[in-house]
Amino acid sequence: MDPVMRAAAVYAVLLCVFRIAGRRTLAQMTNFDFILLLIISEAVQNAMIGNDYSLTNGALVVVTLVGLDIFLSIVKQWVPALEKWLDGLPTILVDNGRLLNERMSRARVSEDDILQAAREKQGLRRMDQVKYAVLEINGGISIVPKP
Amino acid sequence: MDPSRGTAERGDLEIQEDPGYQRLFWKIQRAGWVAMALVVAAALAGMFGGGPLSRASLEDTQASWRLEYERFGRYESVQPLRLDVHPGNSRQTSVWLDRGYLADVRIDHIMPDPVREELSSDGILYVFEWRPGERPGRITLSVTFERIGLVKGRIGRTPSFTQAFSQFVYP
């Protein structure tokens, strides 16, 4: 398999696996998740480079990966509907002070996670000070406090 | 509300949300997790090489040798072909592999070393010899797959008495 196909295949596999893994997998950087990211990069290195240590091979892999990234970003502009499948959409978890429990369990976000985000981002002390909590595309939780 | 930007107002929050899509996506996500678990289970069972589902064997009709091989392999990974031979009174035995198989794989290593290799138009014959009084052991050929897909081979003691085997090589 030549370098372009290897790189494209690895990119596609990683894209699918991380979409399936969900937003919280990417956002929460506990020690375990950090180790996971490091190990994954090692795991795919050989698959992308193969036995070929030439400069050309390395350059082709980089060009393919960056090219795919650019291509997808252009495609997302042409076909806006594709954006939500590739990147996801934000999800409101607390609506006007009311916890949306079913969504929280689906998104695997606990009340403690929301309280942590409230403390970190807004310095809030209690849940009833939170007006909106939104799980963003990158897995972070943003908080809109009550006035 | 601004449909052209895809945002909507929920209370006083202007946000791009699509609960229908989100529910569908979560279902697909759960199905994806099941698929990942199945892949891991299949790998443990040997579907990608190296497990109970993958191990196979071939014996020749006079049971003078037996080949153990794997049904599944992976591109550029090494796998052994193991032969147990019983050459009877003879001190020599031979293993013939067809050219088609040899074109799709690379033989990295043969243990023990053959005393000679005879090339013919349709394959290679490896000849092994044992010292008098010694019992023949196992012949191991370390094979690296150089092709993806179905790899077919023929193996036997001589070019006229061969058996077919095949291996599927994942990319």
Side-chain angles (χ1 to χ4, degrees):
Chain A
M1 264 169 109
D2 66 280
V4 172
M5 289 197 30
R6 279 177 182 273
V10 170
Y11 187 95
V13 168
L14 287 176
L15 189 63
C16 287
V17 169
F18 280 109
R19 283 298 277 137
I20 291 173
R23 287 174 280 188
R24 294 305 282 167
T25 298
L26 280 182
Q28 277 178 324
M29 284 288 246
T30 61
N31 282 339
F32 182 76
D33 297 313
F34 181 61
I35 291 168
L36 189 67
L37 278 181
L38 286 179
I39 294 177
I40 286 178
S41 78
E42 289 300 310
V44 297
Q45 177 195 299
N46 285 337
M48 281 196 299
I49 299 293
N51 280 332
D52 187 345
Y53 301 120
S54 67
L55 186 60
T56 308
N57 193 41
L60 282 173
V61 167
V62 169
V63 167
T64 303
L65 290 173
V66 174
L68 273 174
D69 216 57
I70 296 172
F71 173 69
L72 282 180
S73 71
I74 293 175
V75 165
K76 278 190 286 190
Q77 279 184 320
W78 286 336
V79 186
L82 203 58
E83 185 163 11
K84 66 184 177 199
W85 289 102
L86 286 175
D87 289 341
L89 287 179
T91 302
I92 296 178
L93 297 176
V94 174
D95 185 5
N96 239 323
R98 193 171 45 106
L99 287 169
L100 300 175
N101 286 303
E102 202 233 322
R103 289 187 182 196
M104 281 168 60
S105 97
R106 282 268 177 224
R108 291 173 291 148
V109 173
S110 68
E111 211 174 312
D112 279 339
D113 292 330
I114 297 181
L115 283 169
Q116 178 184 337
R119 286 192 297 268
E120 278 173 351
K121 308 217 163 117
Q122 297 288 346
L124 301 178
R125 297 185 304 276
R126 301 156 51 80
M127 189 59 90
D128 55 24
Q129 294 172 301
V130 172
K131 186 169 187 196
Y132 291 110
V134 178
L135 178 64
E136 303 291 355
I137 292 174
N138 64 1
I141 300 172
S142 53
I143 303 285
V144 176
K146 281 188 177 154
Chain B
M1 182 147 148
D2 186 355
S4 66
R5 279 180 51 208
T7 60
E9 282 188 22
R10 192 196 171 100
D12 58 353
L13 195 64
E14 193 180 334
I15 190 169
Q16 188 181 7
E17 231 203 343
D18 187 344
Y21 150 82
Q22 198 62 64
R23 274 191 291 273
L24 175 61
F25 181 78
W26 279 326
K27 283 203 187 91
I28 295 175
Q29 194 179 60
R30 300 293 188 271
W33 294 352
V34 171
M36 280 169 67
L38 287 176
V39 165
V40 171
L44 286 171
M47 278 294 296
F48 300 105
L53 284 181
S54 175
R55 286 193 275 267
S57 63
L58 266 185
E59 256 180 82
D60 95 331
T61 43
Q62 294 141 316
S64 56
W65 61 255
R66 180 191 156 88
L67 168 72
E68 282 172 17
Y69 68 103
E70 302 260 344
R71 285 194 193 93
F72 301 107
R74 296 178 300 273
Y75 181 63
E76 279 189 26
S77 80
V78 187
Q79 251 185 24
L81 289 178
R82 293 191 179 96
L83 279 147
D84 287 318
V85 289
H86 309 284
N89 292 328
S90 158
R91 273 171 46 216
Q92 253 193 13
T93 193
S94 52
V95 175
W96 181 87
L97 273 173
D98 75 309
R99 216 163 247 286
Y101 186 71
L102 292 168
D104 289 337
V105 307
R106 184 175 73 233
I107 310 269
D108 285 327
H109 184 56
I110 305 179
M111 218 205 20
D113 279 323
V115 295
R116 65 174 183 282
E117 295 175 18
E118 291 173 13
L119 299 173
S120 61
S121 58
D122 52 354
I124 299 186
L125 189 75
Y126 301 93
V127 181
F128 302 87
E129 221 171 66
W130 282 270
R131 286 209 298 262
E134 275 198 15
R135 290 198 61 235
R138 168 169 270 197
I139 298 172
T140 306
L141 291 97
S142 290
V143 155
T144 300
F145 295 105
E146 290 188 325
R147 198 173 82 87
I148 297 165
L150 198 61
V151 165
K152 292 187 208 174
R154 294 200 69 89
I155 192 168
R157 289 186 69 193
T158 66
S160 1
F161 292 102
T162 63
Q163 290 189 334
F165 67 102
S166 64
Q167 300 175 293
F168 184 78
V169 180
Y170 290 95

